[in-house]
Amino acid sequence: MSSAFPEIYLVRHGETEWSRSGKHTGRSDIPLTEAGEEAARKVGDRLQGLSFSVVWSSPSQRASSTCALAGFGADRIVKDDLAEWDYGAYEGVTTKEILAERPGWQIFRDGCPRGEMAADVGARADRIIGDFRRTEGTILVFSSAHFLRVLAARWLGLPPEGGAYFALDTASISVLGYEHDLTEPVVRRWNQK
């Protein structure tokens, strides 16, 4: 499926020890595992032949390493707003551990103590979407799961909490774009491995 309109390719970083174990990894700078590095190289294979007007990355080493191993490191521009959700007190903690202390907790609804709420992440996503709309051509973005999920929700005009409905695996590629014209944002592809 190709489009006459600009597209935004979203790449979730490759596997880290924390993403494999389910620990919330917001601002901790955890490197890719060997499997994550290999998956990042395969992202490059899957993007081969595509041309991007800009390549943006979150400031994390997991996103920048994925970008570099995929073959786009020389073109990378760091955008702080692409950083993962700030998990505050839940940094390095699994959902199972959080639920043991706080039954019923949901990140998209409840946010994180001493960290961000969905609205905070949504405000950053809205700034990135503004940048998308001011940039001509196809854009390539490397970031993390929860941020990209909120970004997709906001792209569609959903509240930031709508990110709860978009599961995202490591080293996956998703594509945002338009349908009939630039007033109809859509998800063209999601969570492709």
Side-chain angles (χ1 to χ4, degrees), residues 12 16-26 87 90-95 97:
R12 182 181 175 199
T16 68
E17 288 291 338
W18 281 19
S19 66
R20 183 173 55 207
S21 67
K23 291 182 179 180
H24 286 88
T25 316
Y87 298 120
Y90 293 156
E91 184 76 9
V93 181
T94 67
T95 298
E97 292 168 330

Side-chain angles (χ1 to χ4, degrees), residues 99-141:
L99 290 172
E101 292 183 14
R102 191 172 170 191
W105 174 81
Q106 294 177 1
I107 189 165
F108 289 96
R109 182 190 64 215
D110 303 321
C112 300
R114 297 190 309 277
E116 289 182 305
M117 299 295 291
D120 301 317
V121 182
R124 291 193 287 113
D126 288 347
R127 290 192 295 268
I128 291 294
I129 290 168
D131 292 343
F132 289 164
R133 294 200 169 119
R134 289 186 292 276
T135 303
E136 292 188 23
T138 302
I139 300 168
L140 177 60
V141 173

Side-chain angles (χ1 to χ4, degrees), residues 95-191:
T95 298
K96 183 178 179 180
E97 292 168 330
I98 296 166
L99 290 172
E101 292 183 14
R102 191 172 170 191
W105 174 81
Q106 294 177 1
I107 189 165
F108 289 96
R109 182 190 64 215
D110 303 321
C112 300
R114 297 190 309 277
E116 289 182 305
M117 299 295 291
D120 301 317
V121 182
R124 291 193 287 113
D126 288 347
R127 290 192 295 268
I128 291 294
I129 290 168
D131 292 343
F132 289 164
R133 294 200 169 119
R134 289 186 292 276
T135 303
E136 292 188 23
T138 302
I139 300 168
L140 177 60
V141 173
F142 292 84
S143 189
S144 299
H146 280 133
F147 178 80
L148 292 174
R149 293 169 67 177
V150 171
L151 181 69
R154 295 302 301 137
W155 177 255
L156 297 174
L158 301 172
E161 295 82 0
Y165 301 109
F166 296 94
L168 201 56
D169 297 323
T170 56
S172 61
I173 300 172
S174 301
V175 182
L176 305 178
Y178 300 92
E179 189 162 18
H180 299 105
D181 60 44
L182 297 178
T183 66
E184 293 183 32
V186 296
V187 173
R188 297 193 62 80
R189 292 184 287 286
W190 192 256
N191 199 33

